[in-house]
Amino acid sequence: MLLTWVLSILLCCSGVLAVNCTSFIIYSPAGADWLRKHCPIVTGHVAIGPLNDNSTTQHISLDGVEVIEGSFGNYYVDIWNPLDDQPYFTLSSSTLREVRGEVDFGTSPTKLQNLTLPNLKTVNTDFQVGLYARDITYLDITSLESVDYFSLAAPNITTFRHRSLHNATSVKVHTTQIDSLDIVSDSRLNLKHVDLAGPFPNIKNIPVGFTSAEKLSISADASVTLGGPSTTNMTIGSLSLSGGVSDLKRSTKLESLRVDSLDLSSSISIPHLEIPFDNLRALTLKQLYEAHPVKDITLPPQAVNWTGGFELDISNAPELNLTSMYRTDDQNNRVQTWYWPTNISSIQISDTNLGNAFFDTFVAQQNASLDSTYPPSVLKSFHVYPSRNATGFNCAALNELSKKGRLPSPPFNFGCSNSTKTSGSTFIRTASPLHLAGVVFGATMWMV
Ligand SMILES: *[C@@H]1O[C@H](CO)[C@@H](O)[C@H](O)[C@H]1NC(C)=O
Ligand SMILES: *[C@@H]1O[C@H](CO)[C@@H](O)[C@H](O)[C@H]1NC(C)=O
Ligand SMILES: *[C@@H]1O[C@H](CO)[C@@H](O)[C@H](O)[C@H]1NC(C)=O
Ligand SMILES: *[C@@H]1O[C@H](CO)[C@@H](O)[C@H](O)[C@H]1NC(C)=O
Ligand SMILES: *[C@@H]1O[C@H](CO)[C@@H](O)[C@H](O)[C@H]1NC(C)=O
Ligand SMILES: *[C@@H]1O[C@H](CO)[C@@H](O)[C@H](O)[C@H]1NC(C)=O
Ligand SMILES: *[C@@H]1O[C@H](CO)[C@@H](O)[C@H](O)[C@H]1NC(C)=O
Ligand SMILES: *[C@@H]1O[C@H](CO)[C@@H](O)[C@H](O)[C@H]1NC(C)=O
Ligand SMILES: *[C@@H]1O[C@H](CO)[C@@H](O)[C@H](O)[C@H]1NC(C)=O
Ligand SMILES: *[C@@H]1O[C@H](CO)[C@@H](O)[C@H](O)[C@H]1NC(C)=O
Ligand SMILES: *[C@@H]1O[C@H](CO)[C@@H](O)[C@H](O)[C@H]1NC(C)=O
Ligand SMILES: *[C@@H]1O[C@H](CO)[C@@H](O)[C@H](O)[C@H]1NC(C)=O
């Protein structure tokens, strides 16, 4: 939020006895000096600038100020203002421990270079270092543990001194140069939204340790570890990974890890995707316009017990091999990699290398008698279209289940197409309008 508040008074001359520590604008290091010597507790706001000496870098110290009851930030200018008349400056306070309003530097332009607040523990509303703090390279908020909304978007921070938050509502980090990212690694955190968007060239692994979050989005060329040193149970509503995430790991200390929906709609760089969750309700893999590195997906055996009605949505994954529920590993062992949850709500698969064997246990369950231990699931929709070069996928069993009422009915809630090739054959396919574009493209590829 922008600092649009009205400032009531300015600092005055030294030697005043009845000091009024309400709101302040700092125009110079000398002004800051007066404030820090007289006001351990500021009952109003503190704004930095415009500074009145632009001949050299200005160093503003607020050592002595302990609490700011209002907001703390740079003075507001519009976002196109180049601040040509302003000096670079640094800001530090080794005593400041609490700000009850917001801390806001850089949601409007500022030439702040260093922000050093190593003992700041609590910010009752927002803590933001925004996009327009382009010159800040050093940020020390080592002790910050309680904040409502935390947001870091300054592009050039290289040194970020911080441990994890303990208490926060939402966290956003869009700072690309930082060298550590432990901000949400503490198990005391129960968050709404967490958005970590790199690229983060200086970070190899992102440790996620909160106990819960409604939504976690990570876009980064880094591995992600779910579960911190003290986390035993983790719950995530919606988990989105993109930006080339290179691995998804589960800490061995986690007793349970439950995710409602996993969304891989953009690029990830995980050829062998393992989904180590105790529960998952929806899996979406769509790699439109991106590289398609996912070759296989491994679910844990407990996937059979995933609750809530599983929704599977896979499209545009031409490298993905869903020909079978098994995979041959490096030691030439046949290992089961896919386990169908017994409660399925919908299945959409297209442009993937599919085989009938992939559906084996699903088809068996859908065809079982209604009073069996695992009765057939009631699906809302079922659409399965193999990729152009898939071989030997046939809809016969699925058509039969649809006719029998064990899968939805065509045309809207059921669709299936046989693979167009058997090894060595020419391209023949009865086109559904939905897939005409694919057929035309396929024809140019396969009928030459
Ligand atoms: C402090 O400031 C407030 C608001 O500006 C004013 O009402 C009050 O009289 C001032 N007190 C002193 C001691 O100056
Ligand atoms: C200082 O500000 C004045 C305008 O107020 C500008 O003309 C001058 O170039 C600035 N000097 C520096 C060193 O930025
Ligand atoms: C910012 O802080 C770092 C670490 O204390 C220091 O090395 C650097 O010189 C500071 N930059 C400025 C402009 O004071
Ligand atoms: C800060 O980052 C921007 C790109 O966002 C870049 O153009 C600028 O040169 C950088 N400034 C410094 C001081 O590194
Ligand atoms: C967490 O922060 C909120 C305000 O942001 C506060 O009301 C609450 O008491 C804090 N909880 C803990 C455990 O510190
Ligand atoms: C964590 O999960 C385990 C296993 O599901 C469960 O037994 C335990 O009660 C959970 N602990 C908490 C604190 O929720
Ligand atoms: C699934 O749940 C059933 C019944 O609770 C249990 O017997 C079985 O061991 C579970 N399967 C897996 C693989 O966890
Ligand atoms: C399957 O999931 C759906 C959706 O949550 C639920 O309504 C239904 O009761 C579940 N069926 C079984 C057999 O658990
Ligand atoms: C299928 O074709 C795509 C290109 O359209 C290719 O990337 C992929 O490797 C092929 N898959 C198989 C199983 O041949
Ligand atoms: C797909 O997986 C099956 C089972 O592991 C394997 O036999 C087959 O060669 C794989 N196909 C491709 C194109 O990798
Ligand atoms: C379903 O079960 C019947 C016997 O009850 C069997 O004849 C039929 O082939 C089965 N269909 C599929 C698709 O497995
Ligand atoms: C697929 O092949 C089966 C028999 O092999 C046939 O009954 C069916 O009509 C074909 N086409 C579709 C779209 O299911």
Side-chain angles (χ1 to χ4, degrees), residues 286-305:
K286 288 186 186 179
Q287 303 194 291
L288 300 169
Y289 319 117
E290 310 264 1
H292 314 98
V294 180
K295 290 186 161 56
D296 51 68
I297 301 177
T298 300
L299 303 186
Q302 66 263 33
V304 298
N305 286 334

Side-chain angles (χ1 to χ4, degrees), residues 255-366:
E255 285 174 36
S256 82
L257 170 56
R258 313 175 72 79
V259 177
D260 185 66
S261 63
L262 174 61
D263 189 338
L264 309 169
S265 292
S266 194
S267 75
I268 52 167
S269 307
I270 314 181
H272 305 291
L273 175 65
E274 288 188 39
I275 301 182
F277 303 163
D278 297 300
N279 205 35
L280 177 67
R281 197 193 47 79
L283 170 61
T284 302
L285 176 69
K286 288 186 186 179
Q287 303 194 291
L288 300 169
Y289 319 117
E290 310 264 1
H292 314 98
V294 180
K295 290 186 161 56
D296 51 68
I297 301 177
T298 300
L299 303 186
Q302 66 263 33
V304 298
N305 286 334
W306 284 354
T307 56
F310 188 60
E311 296 177 18
L312 179 63
D313 187 351
I314 295 177
S315 60
N316 235 293
E319 302 289 338
L320 179 60
N321 183 349
L322 298 181
T323 57
S324 151
M325 294 166 54
Y326 295 85
R327 187 161 69 87
T328 309
D329 71 8
D330 298 340
Q331 282 81 47
N332 228 15
N333 298 314
R334 190 165 175 262
V335 288
Q336 186 169 355
T337 50
W338 188 267
Y339 295 84
W340 282 105
T342 51
N343 190 0
I344 306 257
S345 224
S346 68
I347 295 175
Q348 323 289 331
I349 304 176
S350 61
D351 300 312
T352 299
N353 185 13
L354 271 176
N356 284 59
F358 176 67
F359 293 97
D360 276 353
T361 56
F362 170 73
V363 164
Q365 187 188 335
Q366 292 310 101

Side-chain angles (χ1 to χ4, degrees), residues 13-140:
C13 37
S14 52
V16 179
L17 289 176
V19 166
N20 201 339
C21 293
T22 57
S23 289
F24 289 84
I25 300 177
I26 307 285
Y27 293 108
S28 66
D33 209 44
W34 187 92
L35 176 63
R36 74 190 190 83
K37 285 180 177 144
H38 292 91
C39 296
I41 295 175
V42 179
T43 58
H45 310 295
V46 175
I48 311 295
L51 297 174
N52 58 19
D53 175 358
N54 71 357
S55 61
T56 68
T57 299
Q58 302 287 292
H59 298 285
I60 310 279
S61 165
L62 290 176
D63 281 354
V65 175
E66 294 169 22
V67 176
I68 295 171
E69 294 183 350
S71 297
F72 182 33
N74 58 292
Y75 75 107
Y76 174 78
V77 294
D78 74 60
I79 58 171
W80 293 281
N81 191 322
L83 296 177
D84 284 340
D85 61 341
Q86 284 296 298
Y88 294 110
F89 70 102
T90 68
L91 176 60
S92 65
S93 173
S94 59
T95 52
L96 185 67
R97 53 188 165 74
E98 182 177 351
V99 176
R100 303 214 180 124
E102 64 194 27
V103 175
D104 178 341
F105 291 92
T107 60
S108 91
T110 176
K111 289 169 92 170
L112 177 62
Q113 290 179 314
N114 276 17
L115 180 60
T116 311
L117 304 171
N119 289 306
L120 179 64
K121 255 181 127 157
T122 307
V123 174
N124 288 31
T125 61
D126 302 353
F127 178 95
Q128 301 205 58
V129 177
L131 191 58
Y132 298 100
R134 293 195 194 284
D135 298 301
I136 186 170
T137 56
Y138 182 90
L139 175 62
D140 182 348

